[in-house]
Structure formats: structure tokens, C-alpha cells
């Protein structure tokens, strides 16, 4: 038989610690520096949900019926490993916020039950309207696996993308490109009516998205011995005129990861006014 003097402290302990408020992560975390305001939704795959420059939105923020094709996210590559839709663990399921301070956020996915991979993201705001982003994927499985990281940014259908490349290929016979001063341009306009995908190498960076007086520039590593996943390319652009958006995609190095090892993809974004 337990005496009352022993029960009373136990009740007080349970009441005090059991009823303490738990830390609640906001649905949207917004960071601001200078002209840049960037929002992240940890519960939606740690996705960048909005990016504005002087109050003007750069990304596609309207959501499709499945809640997939909006904002900026990251996947594992190649796509042949998972077909469609993307792996939910990385694309749409909640990420944990592991660090949050002024201008910096770190997020971490759970371990995917099928691939045994875990993804981490670090997003930081710079001093010159720039954003540094690093993605990591770690093999937490019992055997080695080959994988690359893949950044996918949804943008409104309009304006054009420009980049320097030696070669490109498309999913349709007619590529929606124009060569201007050794730089390819892909116009997102009424001349293209069907969804299609463009795959290209990268001769140099940045890759630029020009739209309504702003330019989103993306920088990443361009290596002579760059290894991309099968069926993929360092730069990929998906056009979907009927749905009103395009995808601005960068691929990381395709590596064999032993258990416990990680691969990463580092990118830097800049938003500037069109000259």
C-alpha cells in the first residue's frame, strides 16, 4: 500500500512536467534581410514557400490540387528510382527544425523507410540579396547506394531563362530555345503549348530566370568530371504552359554512398532588378 506522502509528490511531478507547453513550430517561418523576404514551411517538406524582393514574388506560390507543384523543394535523383510522385518523405512530409536563428534555418527529414536516406537543408540569407542553400542526403541503411540531390524551383510561366551550355536535348522534337551571344534562352510564352522538358549541361553559371523586371540567378558547382544521375542533366527545365508554371532545376553529383556517408548540393541564389 502506497502512503499519501509518497503519492502527493508524484502527482505534483506529473502535473508540472506533463502539462508544460510543448514547443510549437510555426506553420510558416519567415526570414528577412534587406530587400529579401523568404518563407519556409517545415510541415510541407521543408519547402521554400515564398521569396519576395521589395514585395514582389519570385516563385510560383499557388498550389495545385495535390499540393505538390509550388515553391522550391529538393528530391533525390535519378527520377527512375521513384517515378512519380516524388518521395513524400522529402517532398511533402514534415521536416524538423533543428536550428533557427536570425537569417538561418536548418531542417531535417525523418529517415525514409524505403530508401534509408535522410535529408537535411540549411538556408541562410546573405548581405547582398542572396540566399545560400545546402542540401545533404545521408545513407542510414545497411548497404551502399547511389544517389544525387536535385533542387526543383517552381516559377511562374512567363519571361525567359538564360544560360550558357554546350549541348541540350528536349522531350519534344522542337526545342523552345534561342541562341543569343553564346547564351541559350528559353522563352516561357504562348509559342509553347505542350508540357516538355529540356536537359542541358552547364558551361558556366549563373543560370538566370528573367520575369517582370526581376532576375533570379542560381549558382552551383560546374565540374569538368561532373557525374549526373542516369537520365538526368546538371540543368533541367520543365515547361507546363497549360498549368501556368515552369520548373528551374539543378542536379548534384551522383555518388556511391557507403552506410553513414553523405552527399551534398550547394547552391546560391541572387535576386536583382533587371537592367
Amino acid at each position: 500500500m502506497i502512503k499519501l506522502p509518497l503519492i502527493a509528490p508524484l502527482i505534483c511531478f506529473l502535473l508540472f512536467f506533463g502539462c508544460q507547453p510543448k514547443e510549437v513550430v510555426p506553420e510558416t517561418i519567415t526570414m528577412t534581410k534587406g530587400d529579401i523576404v523568404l518563407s519556409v514551411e517545415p510541415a510541407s517538406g521543408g519547402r521554400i514557400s515564398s521569396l519576395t524582393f521589395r514585395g514582389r514574388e519570385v516563385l510560383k506560390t499557388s498550389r495545385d490540387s495535390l499540393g505538390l507543384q509550388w515553391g522550391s523543394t529538393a528530391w533525390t535523383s535519378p527520377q527512375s528510382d521513384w517515378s512519380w510522385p516524388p518521395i513524400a518523405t522529402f517532398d511533402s512530409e514534415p521536416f524538423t527544425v533543428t536550428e533557427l536563428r536570425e537569417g538561418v534555418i536548418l531542417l531535417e527529414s525523418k529517415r525514409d523507410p524505403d530508401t534509408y536516406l535522410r535529408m537535411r537543408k540549411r538556408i541562410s540569407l546573405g548581405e547582398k540579396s542572396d540566399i545560400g542553400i545546402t542540401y545533404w542526403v545521408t545513407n542510414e541503411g545497411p548497404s551502399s547506394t547511389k544517389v544525387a540531390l536535385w533542387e526543383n524551383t517552381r516559377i511562374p510561366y512567363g519571361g525567359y531563362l538564360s544560360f550558357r551550355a554546350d549541348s541540350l536535348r528536349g522531350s519534344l522534337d522542337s526545342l523552345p530555345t534561342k541562341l543569343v551571344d553564346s547564351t541559350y534562352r528559353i522563352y516561357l510564352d504562348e509559342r509553347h503549348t505542350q508540357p516538355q522538358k529540356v536537359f542541358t549541361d552547364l558551361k558556366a553559371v549563373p543560370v538566370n530566370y528573367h520575369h517582370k523586371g526581376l532576375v533570379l540567378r542560381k549558382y552551383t558547382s560546374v565540374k569538368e568530371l561532373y557525374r549526373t544521375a542516369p537520365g538526368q542533366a546538371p540543368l533541367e527545365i520543365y515547361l507546363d504552359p497549360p498549368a501556368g508554371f515552369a520548373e528551374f532545376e539543378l542536379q548534384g553529383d551522383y555518388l556511391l554512398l557507403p552506410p553513414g556517408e553523405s552527399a551534398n548540393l550547394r547552391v546560391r541564389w541572387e535576386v536583382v532588378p533587371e537592367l
Side-chain angles (χ1 to χ4, degrees), residues 170-215:
S171 58
L172 298 180
D173 292 337
S174 177
L175 286 174
T177 60
K178 182 178 181 180
L179 193 59
V180 179
D181 297 330
S182 301
T183 298
Y184 283 101
R185 289 186 179 184
I186 296 182
Y187 290 92
L188 309 180
D189 58 23
E190 69 282 351
R191 287 175 290 182
H192 318 297
T193 59
Q194 301 180 58
Q196 58 184 304
K197 188 93 180 253
V198 177
F199 300 83
T200 177
D201 61 15
L202 272 180
K203 188 174 182 179
V205 291
V207 182
N208 308 292
Y209 168 54
H210 308 251
H211 187 234
K212 293 187 175 180
L214 295 178
V215 183

Side-chain angles (χ1 to χ4, degrees), residues 39 71 80 215:
S39 297
S80 57
V215 183

Side-chain angles (χ1 to χ4, degrees), residues 148-167:
L149 280 154
W150 180 356
E151 180 186 71
N152 188 322
T153 303
R154 274 61 175 244
I155 51 179
Y157 192 83
Y160 66 95
L161 292 109
S162 64
F163 53 92
R164 295 184 64 195
D166 289 322
S167 64

